[in-house]
Amino acid sequence: MLEYLCAVLPYMHAFLNEMLSQVSCNWFDDCVYDSLQRNQTYGNKAFSSLSDLDVYAALKVIDRNWNKMKLRNQNKFSNKALLKDVQDIRDSVAHSYERNFNSDKKLLNNFAFDNPQFFYSSI
């Protein structure tokens, strides 16, 4: 399952690059750093680009900036529950929770490739 999450990561990076640049002219500081600075693990790390973000951090940035991105792209941000499901998958992989990985693979595929509000033109 970790491989599936890692396969989705470049799409998240490209999506964030496209969406956050519409939110603020100083989007890296305003959206990325601000989203991660309160986190114990990520708060003191130096990030120079979105490609420095792992799956957890990228999902956290999407989550924390959801409403800002939604204001700019109303029709592309209707399913926050799907984002929360992907965060749950990531947490279960990171913390070895028991899950049905066959349904998780389908959910990740839906998140990254079949769902028009995510990654619609990023890669």
Side-chain angles (χ1 to χ4, degrees), residues 33-48:
Y33 277 121
D34 285 356
S35 295
L36 300 174
Q37 74 179 359
R38 288 171 266 154
N39 183 286
Q40 213 171 24
T41 303
Y42 296 91
N44 295 324
K45 285 189 177 180
F47 298 105
S48 60

Side-chain angles (χ1 to χ4, degrees), residues 23-105:
V23 170
S24 167
C25 59
N26 192 21
W27 61 268
F28 200 83
D29 288 338
D30 294 343
C31 301
V32 177
Y33 277 121
D34 285 356
S35 295
L36 300 174
Q37 74 179 359
R38 288 171 266 154
N39 183 286
Q40 213 171 24
T41 303
Y42 296 91
N44 295 324
K45 285 189 177 180
F47 298 105
S48 60
S49 73
L50 289 171
S51 62
D52 294 335
L53 303 181
D54 62 12
V55 173
Y56 173 85
L59 288 168
K60 185 61 70 182
V61 172
I62 292 171
D63 186 32
R64 293 249 168 97
N65 290 283
W66 183 271
N67 291 332
K68 293 176 192 174
M69 293 185 295
K70 185 176 180 174
L71 285 172
R72 302 277 192 249
N73 297 282
Q74 283 288 338
N75 59 336
K76 295 175 179 66
F77 289 86
S78 60
N79 194 354
K80 192 166 184 180
L82 182 57
L83 173 65
K84 294 300 186 181
D85 289 341
V86 174
Q87 287 176 312
D88 287 343
I89 291 170
R90 182 264 163 209
D91 291 346
S92 69
V93 170
H95 303 290
S96 301
Y97 299 139
E98 187 97 11
R99 288 189 65 100
N100 179 344
F101 287 116
N102 287 329
S103 64
D104 288 347
K105 288 176 189 177

